[in-house]
Amino acid sequence: DLVDDIRSSLYNEEVFVYTPKGKLVVLKDGATALDFAFEIHTEVGAKCIGAKVNNRLVPLSHKIKTGDIIECMTSPKQKPSEDWLKFVVTTKAKSRIKDYIKEANKSHVVMGRDMIEHRLKVLGISPLTLEVTNQLRAYFNAKDSNDLFYRFGKGYVQLDELKRWKSDREAHERKQEAKSIKEPLTDLKSITKELKKLHGDKKNADGILI
């Protein structure tokens, strides 16, 4: 992806735009207001909620043209989104957005693990062993443990689902227990049947089958 971005940057036309103070900024053709924000400063891009192009409000995805005067609007509550990658075109913007998303995902993984550990402790299951983690991963169809923790941390799976998992797990254990009790009886019947095939039905002196 990086090589393709660099190659396209070399061969595509450029646009020449300005900050409100008259500073010249050169970007590749097709750049958006968000690309401009990241070119000004990484934090400006990450906190950008919109822009004014020639004193007119525009969305982040607005494509800028040569001669535009652009002013970025920011908010401390704004966070980079994966959707941004659908319309930014510069290598810098793409790279910074991916970095932010990667860091955010790490925090969701840590948060999700803590949330699961706490709820399982309340449910009487502690600690969060590898065996329990694998059971949860299989139950919720997660690719791996990080994917499992991420889903809970992000809120894609609610903590209340752990109570349902516990109930299903206990029901499965009871079923397995009942099965293990029945198996010896089944084996005994099988053995008796096989013995009869080998020796035939024999009666003792009192006429009772032996």
Side-chain angles (χ1 to χ4, degrees):
D1 289 343
L2 180 60
V3 173
D4 289 339
D5 287 338
I6 294 173
R7 186 183 292 115
S8 61
S9 296
L10 292 173
Y11 293 103
N12 280 347
E13 294 181 3
E14 297 173 323
V15 292
F16 299 84
V17 294
Y18 301 88
T19 68
K21 293 183 178 181
K23 179 183 176 182
L24 175 66
V25 178
V26 181
L27 295 167
K28 63 185 291 187
D29 186 40
T32 64
L34 186 58
D35 287 297
F36 173 85
F38 274 103
E39 190 65 29
I40 295 300
H41 194 280
T42 298
E43 284 302 310
V44 174
K47 301 297 181 184
C48 193
I49 56 173
K52 284 185 179 180
V53 175
N54 305 323
N55 289 319
R56 182 171 63 90
L57 286 173
V58 298
L60 296 175
S61 59
H62 176 80
K63 290 186 178 182
I64 56 180
K65 296 177 292 185
T66 292
D68 285 342
I69 298 173
I70 307 167
E71 179 184 356
C72 298
M73 296 180 294
T74 61
S75 168
K77 294 181 180 180
Q78 178 69 299
K79 293 180 181 179
S81 164
E82 290 185 18
D83 290 336
W84 289 5
L85 292 171
K86 296 176 182 178
F87 56 81
V88 293
V89 298
T90 62
T91 302
K92 184 175 182 178
K94 288 180 181 180
S95 177
R96 297 297 182 271
I97 293 169
K98 287 177 182 178
D99 287 343
Y100 274 102
I101 292 172
K102 188 175 180 181
E103 286 302 313
N105 287 349
K106 285 182 182 178
S107 65
H108 287 307
V109 169
V110 174
M111 185 188 301
R113 181 184 176 88
D114 291 342
M115 291 166 62
I116 290 173
E117 280 187 321
H118 177 73
R119 181 55 62 92
L120 289 181
K121 191 174 182 180
V122 172
L123 293 173
I125 302 173
S126 182
L128 180 60
T129 62
L130 179 60
E131 182 184 356
V132 172
T133 301
N134 286 334
Q135 289 176 3
L136 289 169
R137 182 182 60 76
Y139 188 82
F140 292 105
N141 295 316
K143 293 182 294 184
D144 51 38
S145 57
N146 283 342
D147 183 39
L148 171 72
F149 301 145
Y150 175 79
R151 291 186 189 186
F152 277 88
K154 192 73 173 176
Y156 294 149
V157 183
Q158 301 300 315
L159 284 175
D160 289 342
E161 291 295 302
L162 291 175
K163 189 174 182 181
R164 181 168 63 86
W165 165 77
K166 183 189 177 186
S167 298
D168 290 347
R169 180 194 187 205
E170 290 174 346
H172 177 72
E173 288 175 348
R174 286 194 298 269
K175 187 176 180 181
Q176 290 298 108
E177 223 174 271
K179 186 179 178 182
S180 64
I181 292 171
K182 290 179 180 179
E183 280 177 352
L185 294 175
T186 304
D187 290 342
L188 181 59
K189 289 178 181 178
S190 299
I191 292 169
T192 305
K193 188 176 180 180
E194 289 300 318
L195 287 173
K196 284 183 178 181
K197 286 181 181 179
L198 290 173
H199 304 290
D201 293 340
K202 295 182 178 180
K203 296 180 180 181
N204 60 16
D206 298 320
I208 299 174
L209 284 172
I210 58 172

